[in-house]
Amino acid sequence: MSAGGSDGTADRQTDLAAEEEGPNQAGSSLLAVDLPRKRKGDVEERSGTHVQHSVDFQLDDDLCGSEEDDQQVKIKCFREPHRQIEKRRRDKMNNLIDELAAMIPACLPMARKLDKLTVLRKAVQHLKVLKVDTSSAFTNGIHKPSILPQDDLRHLLLRAADGFLLIVSCDRAKVLFISESVSKILNFNRFELTGQSMFDFIHPKDINKVKEQLSSSESPRQRLMDAATGVQVQLDAPLKPPHLSTGARRSFLCRMKHSRLAGKQEDQPLLPCPPKKKEAYRYCTLHCTGYMRSWPSSQLDSEGDAEKETSNLTCLVTVCRLLTHVPDQPPKGVSIKPSEFVTRCAIDGKFTFVEQQATTVIGYLPQEVLGTSCYEYFHQDDLRHLAEKHRQVLRSKEKIETQCYKFKTKYGSYVSLQSQWFSFTNPWTKEVEFIVSSNRVVSRGPTHTKEEEMGDSKELQEDTKQLPIIPGLSSGVGTMIYAGSIGTRIANELLDSYRMNSSPSSGASSPFGPAQEKGPLVSPQTSNSASSREEAAGSSSGSRSDSRTAADAGSATSERSGEPSQLDLDSVVVPGLSSFSSDEAAMAVIMSLLETETNMGQSGNFENLHWPF
Amino acid sequence: MTADKEKRRAISRDAARRRRRVESEVFEDLSRLLPLQPSVRAHLDKPSVIRLTLSYIRMHTLLTGDTRTRAEASHKVKCGRVMNGGEERGECDGGREEGEKGTEEVEASEETNLYLRILEGFLIVLSTEGDMIYLSDNVSKYMGLTQNELMGHNIFEFTHPCDHEEIRNNLRLTAEDVCCGAKRDFVMRIKSALTHRGRSANLKSATWKVLHCQGRAKVCVAPSSVSCLLLTCQPLPLSHTLLSANTFTSQHSMDMRITFCDQRMNLLLGFSTEELLGRSIYDLCHTLDINNLTKNHLNLCIKSQSVSAQYRMLVRGGGYVWVETHSAVIPSVRPSKSRPGAHQPLCILCVTYVLSGVEEPCLQLSVDQIVHT
């Protein structure tokens, strides 16, 4: 044993000698050394000291079996790593001291580095100045001391969760408790709302929905689901009514009144007008999540509602948070630009989704265009360039901008649009599933007159014989059929390219994409996607494959000029994953599964699961 | 010669011993000043004392800096009084006296407990380098490691290496964060030393637990203050979920095509089972939510579990509902009589909470919604 030359270790010698070895408890990436289980406060440091002093104990071979080899090696040459371990420990201590010095105001102005003892002494002084409250925690013995006073913790929680706590009774939706943070979110003082009925400050249209959530009219059978296995179990005879059981989750959206105080600086100066109707209020959408709970009413109900005093009050305990996850949701009251709308098409150009704003632009209701090919509405002059863009977008991960083109409205006239297209690829199969188009109206130049517009449509009607020649497509019969078939042909090209791609080298292909450098599209892969698409869903996901041809790599943009329009497994940096074959990829997912909590409940035998659906 | 050397050695040994004793005393003083339980305090080693001291000082700086700015901002119109500690309090109930501080602590603690129970997670404060400055003490319930064991350590020591890049991206503060209120929402895997029976085991036999982290970045420009990330971390999913009338489960193949759906899905969305099987979830949702769903899908593939943000699912006949989905990848089951079909090694299981009623029921947005007369 060293003669206590290094700091602090001598103190520990006697302690360690007394301790027995326990199971492993290595804190981090340091040596996997056995640590005595008792010392929970010092996960890392034990390793250094332990090895140094444990020579005598290791020979007892009281260790976990898996570490034996390592230990033997360490015993043999403990002098070697000993120095390094000590050095590492010293370095760590010095780093900590430096960090401490950086945080203490008294230590900062010093020119040269302070020694350890001085820093520690200054730290003691500093803590005294901060008046760390160690005593109050013990006065009533109810709660245990913590690094932070509870108030600060609550404050932090609210900052993080950005919400407020709301407890309402289930029978009349009376607000039993609402936390202070509501003032930040709804601009109401909490005491204005406590004791009120919740229905008074939620949007009238949401009242029924919230009533439903508060009600106890639960299905008589309680369903439990094991998320690890998907096994659903129905409890036939619940011990107590489901709505009273703690833990019945509720999660819903509702709109609450949002008061705009006249005194707020950040608002635009508005004349305060008395709200005539409920609609005059602004509402904000909140996501409320929580549980049903039985609460002894005496604790919370400070209103002293004498006649309704029951021993058990059922209420809903929720945290209400502002709904922030929807980037596309315009705040209420802001008008969406009527000249922009989003549509979605299958890969052959047939509309599968049309936003409601489209009607104001194209005249058609969504249901009138759904299922029809977009090519039927494009002006002849634009067919060629749009077909080219169509081809392009199916093979690119980028957003493709079209030029301005004319779109036929319901009334026969044309409107000028310009669109951004991008193809959505399924992250797992890497196949294009559909194309999303974000369209906006382009106002034509000031020289445009009504006559021009009329002229255009007339032209179209007369000009059915002159069909533009689009490379790769033979001309069909009739305008409509021709137009519609353009899309189908382009789509078939893509599907054929999926089918025909073969790379003799890589027999299996990876749903995670082949190894690739950022930029150029990928090398060819075996594919059976077209046929597998037609198979029932549920065919082996392992054989789904990637599908970009080398030819396509040439045509599409090779560098990512803009941001990728869609997240992709390839663009997520996952070291090593992108080079897996499909089997390996599936195995990687299985491995990560086995590592995670969901499988803790598994008996390990997956074969015997039944689906009682 | 050697006697002299011996003597010198003895002197230096004594000096060293004295130094160590003094140092230990200072460490004792320091640890006594920390708000810790006596049992915890007794077992702390020196680096841990420093670690916890650092955490304390950083948290203090964080909170006082914060309260100062809050006091300056004029959000409160009613009688806001800046009490000791800088907290704005004292609405119309006349403010609190010193003596009542104890009650308020209790109240705050109850509220905090409620929050943490609803959120089903713990709070973590991360520095921009990833140091876990503070964790709420219920972290032991989810990770099997106590607050004191973790505080001051770096999060990268406990998280899955494949997630480090994403974590780093989230820790980074951008210019946008400074002006627009930096939100964070991501999924990461963390070591958990809990056995499935809920007991603490060795960290060596730790498994990965998937955490959903939400919160915000707190940007501090002042040099004395500390920029950090405030996050609530929620493990997902629970192994048993109580389902209410507004939830449904569905099973999907890895490309998110529906392979099974329960009755409630038919009820809540209006589509029959035949109409749903084989359809991709991307078809059934509102186009504008695709990015959200893609992110969810990716998280699922990589981390094996995920929770989606709120998105819209289209309802038959028109309109949509807002939903939130918790999903997990699970090893699939062998086809049985009730579930014939090809055997897949993996599938996705989703529990979807319907959050809203049917919005805009007259709006037919998608080809699936067209009611054919």
Side-chain angles (χ1 to χ4, degrees):
Chain A
M1 304 288 188
S2 70
S6 39
D7 297 340
T9 48
D11 311 342
R12 287 266 186 70
Q13 277 181 21
T14 41
D15 287 342
L16 270 178
E19 279 175 16
E20 287 179 11
E21 297 192 348
N24 241 320
Q25 205 197 338
S28 57
S29 49
L30 290 186
L31 310 170
V33 181
D34 287 346
L35 301 169
R37 205 183 153 75
K38 274 194 275 179
R39 302 228 159 183
K40 283 196 176 242
D42 50 345
V43 177
E44 262 164 67
E45 286 305 333
R46 305 308 289 158
S47 53
T49 54
H50 191 91
V51 167
Q52 177 195 354
H53 302 291
S54 64
V55 177
D56 296 343
F57 308 124
Q58 281 174 3
L59 297 173
D60 290 342
D61 206 8
D62 207 5
L63 312 167
C64 293
S66 57
E67 291 306 305
E68 265 195 46
D69 289 337
D70 283 18
Q71 301 298 352
Q72 298 297 330
V73 170
K74 282 183 198 129
I75 291 169
K76 287 194 176 98
C77 50
F78 84 97
R79 283 198 187 278
E80 270 302 322
H82 167 75
R83 246 175 305 155
Q84 286 167 14
I85 292 163
E86 264 311 300
K87 179 173 182 346
R88 200 186 345 227
R89 220 185 43 79
R90 268 202 310 277
D91 285 342
K92 191 156 181 75
M93 177 60 88
N94 288 337
N95 283 338
L96 283 172
I97 296 285
D98 288 341
E99 274 188 60
L100 193 57
M103 290 299 301
I104 298 175
C107 297
L108 291 172
M110 297 297 160
R112 44 180 188 80
K113 201 168 132 178
L114 290 173
D115 69 289
K116 187 169 158 188
L117 214 49
T118 316
V119 173
L120 288 172
R121 285 211 172 102
K122 292 223 184 280
V124 170
Q125 279 172 14
H126 188 61
L127 284 190
K128 284 185 181 156
V129 167
L130 294 183
K131 291 203 189 84
V132 178
D133 197 0
T134 52
S135 56
S136 72
F138 293 101
T139 46
N140 44 18
I142 295 178
H143 52 273
K144 49 185 172 62
S146 57
I147 282 277
L148 281 190
Q150 287 294 339
D151 210 33
D152 290 331
L153 176 58
R154 173 176 62 173
H155 165 232
L156 278 183
L157 260 176
L158 300 176
R159 291 297 308 278
D162 215 11
F164 58 90
L165 191 62
L166 173 67
I167 305 183
V168 291
S169 69
C170 286
D171 52 353
R172 287 185 302 171
K174 191 161 85 159
V175 174
L176 299 174
F177 180 81
I178 193 164
S179 74
E180 209 178 300
S181 42
V182 67
S183 54
K184 273 219 174 84
I185 296 179
L186 295 181
N187 272 320
F188 284 114
N189 183 294
R190 75 193 275 218
F191 294 101
E192 287 181 273
L193 297 173
T194 314
Q196 305 277 342
S197 165
M198 189 180 163
F199 296 136
D200 285 342
F201 60 92
I202 61 176
H203 195 283
K205 289 197 182 146
D206 293 340
I207 290 180
N208 277 333
K209 218 173 4 120
V210 174
K211 261 196 191 146
E212 208 185 290
Q213 296 283 343
L214 290 177
S215 77
S216 51
S217 56
E218 186 70 11
S219 59
R221 287 162 174 232
Q222 211 177 11
R223 293 188 298 159
L224 287 178
M225 193 185 85
D226 184 349
T229 61
V231 175
Q232 265 197 28
V233 173
Q234 283 197 335
L235 300 183
D236 285 319
L239 297 169
K240 41 185 175 177
H243 67 283
L244 283 180
S245 64
T246 308
R249 258 200 85 169
R250 292 283 187 267
S251 180
F252 57 94
L253 300 179
C254 76
R255 285 164 288 183
M256 291 203 195
K257 267 186 211 157
H258 175 214
S259 149
R260 298 202 311 167
L261 302 174
K264 277 182 72 164
Q265 275 96 343
E266 40 269 55
D267 280 343
Q268 303 121 12
L270 287 176
L271 296 170
C273 49
K276 304 183 203 81
K277 310 176 279 197
K278 275 194 176 152
E279 282 71 49
Y281 280 103
R282 280 175 58 191
Y283 289 92
C284 59
T285 311
L286 298 172
H287 183 196
C288 305
T289 47
Y291 292 96
M292 303 292 274
R293 261 191 103 159
S294 280
W295 215 280
S297 58
S298 50
Q299 257 190 26
L300 284 177
D301 197 343
S302 53
E303 298 285 299
D305 203 357
E307 72 268 19
K308 271 284 201 162
E309 209 82 76
T310 50
S311 55
N312 254 0
L313 193 62
T314 315
C315 40
L316 181 64
V317 180
T318 59
V319 168
C320 304
R321 281 180 277 197
L322 277 174
L323 193 64
T324 53
H325 290 301
V326 192
D328 316 289
Q329 181 88 333
K332 296 223 159 30
V334 173
S335 58
I336 312 157
K337 282 184 236 157
S339 57
E340 288 184 10
F341 61 96
V342 169
T343 57
R344 182 163 76 186
C345 307
I347 55 174
D348 61 4
K350 294 216 174 85
F351 285 113
T352 55
F353 181 97
V354 175
E355 238 190 339
Q356 62 265 41
Q357 287 96 285
T359 312
T360 58
V361 177
I362 64 175
Y364 293 104
L365 286 173
Q367 50 264 47
E368 292 173 313
V369 298
L370 288 170
T372 60
S373 170
C374 59
Y375 284 96
E376 295 172 27
Y377 307 88
F378 294 156
H379 192 277
Q380 282 205 171
D381 300 340
D382 301 313
L383 281 177
R384 179 193 247 146
H385 108 262
L386 287 172
E388 192 42 52
K389 295 288 181 191
H390 183 182
R391 247 205 210 100
Q392 222 184 319
V393 78
L394 288 176
R395 286 160 180 75
S396 162
K397 287 184 183 177
E398 310 268 321
K399 277 192 175 142
I400 306 280
E401 292 255 353
T402 66
Q403 299 164 19
C404 296
Y405 61 95
K406 298 200 206 50
F407 192 98
K408 190 159 87 168
T409 67
K410 186 171 183 175
Y411 314 108
S413 58
Y414 282 84
V415 64
S416 257
L417 296 179
Q418 197 246 336
S419 307
Q420 259 190 349
W421 290 350
F422 87 91
S423 58
F424 169 76
T425 326
N426 188 300
W428 183 264
T429 63
K430 313 284 269 180
E431 289 171 8
V432 179
E433 291 202 352
F434 48 79
I435 300 167
V436 177
S437 169
S438 162
N439 316 292
R440 60 186 188 88
V441 175
V442 172
S443 52
R444 295 161 119 204
T447 54
H448 162 70
T449 58
K450 255 222 170 316
E451 282 145 24
E452 273 185 335
E453 236 183 20
M454 291 303 292
D456 282 341
S457 35
K458 247 195 267 173
E459 254 177 48
L460 181 69
Q461 285 155 16
E462 293 162 3
D463 200 2
T464 47
K465 282 143 207 134
Q466 281 182 3
L467 302 168
I469 299 168
I470 295 179
L473 299 176
S474 54
S475 51
V477 182
T479 323
M480 286 306 222
I481 305 172
Y482 175 60
S485 70
I486 298 176
T488 325
R489 282 168 201 271
I490 295 183
N492 285 337
E493 271 179 25
L494 182 75
L495 294 177
D496 288 341
S497 73
Y498 283 175
R499 230 177 280 133
M500 277 177 345
N501 274 338
S502 59
S503 167
S505 51
S506 58
S509 41
S510 156
F512 287 83
Q516 57 178 324
E517 55 286 345
K518 287 222 154 102
L521 287 184
V522 305
S523 52
Q525 291 269 301
T526 316
S527 133
N528 59 351
S529 54
S531 47
S532 54
R533 267 168 163 258
E534 285 129 39
E535 280 169 15
S539 60
S540 166
S541 54
S543 62
R544 297 269 176 181
S545 54
D546 193 351
S547 49
R548 301 281 158 95
T549 60
D552 300 332
S555 62
T557 51
S558 56
E559 281 302 310
R560 289 177 193 249
S561 44
E563 7 154 318
S565 51
Q566 183 198 333
L567 289 176
D568 193 0
L569 275 173
D570 302 329
S571 60
V572 172
V573 176
V574 177
L577 207 52
S578 51
S579 53
F580 287 178
S581 70
S582 70
D583 294 328
E584 287 169 342
M587 189 49 65
V589 179
I590 292 180
M591 285 311 294
S592 77
L593 272 190
L594 292 174
E595 291 175 323
T596 63
E597 272 277 308
T598 51
N599 283 296
M600 295 295 250
Q602 290 277 359
S603 58
N605 186 359
F606 302 145
E607 311 298 302
N608 299 326
L609 292 174
H610 297 289
W611 288 88
F613 278 103
Chain B
M1 249 319 137
T2 45
D4 203 19
K5 225 183 189 177
E6 250 332 296
K7 200 167 147 203
R8 262 183 279 147
R9 270 213 204 118
I11 292 172
S12 99
R13 258 207 307 274
D14 284 340
R17 218 171 277 145
R18 258 199 314 274
R19 267 203 311 275
R20 278 197 307 278
R21 193 170 42 238
V22 169
E23 192 185 279
S24 297
E25 277 169 15
V26 178
F27 267 105
E28 287 268 301
D29 288 343
L30 201 54
S31 73
R32 255 196 297 272
L33 287 171
L34 292 170
L36 296 166
Q37 281 173 322
S39 52
V40 173
R41 187 177 291 144
H43 287 124
L44 284 184
D45 70 341
K46 289 175 182 176
S48 295
V49 172
I50 301 187
R51 228 181 351 109
L52 293 173
T53 309
L54 269 172
S55 280
Y56 187 84
I57 298 177
R58 279 162 126 171
M59 286 308 294
H60 191 268
T61 323
L62 185 74
L63 291 167
T64 48
D66 194 40
T67 52
R68 225 181 296 125
T69 49
R70 281 194 300 135
E72 283 158 11
S74 55
H75 283 297
K76 285 276 178 66
V77 177
K78 309 271 175 166
C79 43
R81 283 160 59 167
V82 180
M83 303 287 290
N84 80 48
E87 260 266 303
E88 277 195 273
R89 257 196 279 279
E91 277 96 17
C92 307
D93 66 338
R96 309 289 178 103
E97 295 162 6
E98 275 295 341
E100 289 181 13
K101 191 159 184 261
T103 342
E104 189 145 318
E105 280 279 312
V106 174
E107 208 184 83
S109 126
E110 277 184 5
E111 215 179 283
T112 315
N113 287 336
L114 269 179
Y115 265 118
L116 290 172
R117 198 165 333 181
I118 295 175
L119 295 175
E120 289 180 308
F122 56 92
L123 179 74
I124 188 170
V125 180
L126 287 174
S127 76
T128 45
E129 269 91 54
D131 293 322
M132 299 187 281
I133 306 179
Y134 176 78
L135 301 116
S136 58
D137 53 14
N138 64 340
V139 64
S140 50
K141 201 167 119 188
Y142 302 104
M143 278 179 68
L145 298 167
T146 67
Q147 180 190 44
N148 287 322
E149 284 175 304
L150 292 168
M151 258 171 68
H153 284 288
N154 194 287
I155 193 144
F156 292 114
E157 293 167 30
F158 294 92
T159 48
H160 197 290
C162 293
D163 296 337
H164 284 183
E165 172 91 18
E166 195 177 349
I167 298 173
R168 253 187 282 271
N169 285 338
N170 277 292
L171 287 175
R172 210 172 300 144
L173 297 173
T174 64
E176 193 190 310
D177 290 336
V178 178
C179 56
C180 307
K183 297 278 180 188
R184 295 286 187 270
D185 191 330
F186 59 96
V187 171
M188 69 178 181
R189 283 163 287 183
I190 204 162
K191 284 187 195 167
S192 161
L194 287 177
T195 62
H196 64 271
R197 287 205 196 84
R199 279 181 288 173
S200 276
N202 307 323
L203 200 56
K204 252 182 53 69
S205 58
T207 53
W208 294 112
K209 199 157 194 170
V210 185
L211 287 184
H212 180 212
C213 304
Q214 288 176 295
R216 56 185 341 151
K218 185 176 176 297
V219 183
C220 300
V221 193
S224 60
S225 219
V226 151
S227 290
C228 62
L229 227 61
L230 298 171
L231 297 171
T232 50
C233 302
Q234 201 187 9
L236 23 114
L238 306 169
S239 56
H240 288 267
T241 314
L242 284 175
L243 302 173
S244 76
N246 289 324
T247 23
F248 60 84
T249 61
S250 52
Q251 193 203 350
H252 306 251
S253 52
M254 289 303 289
D255 60 356
M256 288 304 268
R257 280 177 203 273
I258 300 177
T259 52
F260 203 89
C261 54
D262 74 7
Q263 283 178 342
R264 282 186 201 260
M265 190 170 186
N266 304 127
L267 275 171
L268 290 164
L269 297 181
F271 293 105
S272 72
T273 309
E274 295 79 40
E275 288 173 316
L276 288 173
L277 284 185
R279 300 303 305 279
S280 162
I281 197 124
Y282 294 104
D283 278 341
L284 298 172
C285 74
H286 196 286
T287 305
L288 295 174
D289 293 326
I290 286 178
N291 274 340
N292 184 343
L293 282 179
T294 310
K295 198 164 133 201
N296 186 46
H297 195 175
L298 286 172
N299 272 337
L300 255 187
C301 294
I302 295 171
K303 296 161 193 163
S304 83
Q305 284 176 248
S306 181
V307 59
S308 71
Q310 292 85 22
Y311 65 99
R312 288 157 282 194
M313 282 200 81
L314 301 171
V315 167
R316 194 165 203 317
Y320 52 83
V321 288
W322 285 97
V323 301
E324 186 183 276
T325 301
H326 297 245
S327 349
V329 179
I330 62 173
S332 176
V333 291
R334 204 183 257 162
S336 59
K337 265 184 290 222
S338 56
R339 276 202 72 244
H343 182 211
Q344 335 152 46
L346 296 169
C347 66
I348 294 174
L349 191 68
C350 294
V351 177
T352 305
Y353 290 83
V354 177
L355 302 173
S356 75
V358 179
E359 311 241 330
E360 317 219 38
C362 303
L363 211 54
Q364 295 197 342
L365 298 170
S366 134
V367 74
D368 301 299
Q369 297 180 293
I370 297 177
V371 181
H372 296 284
T373 46

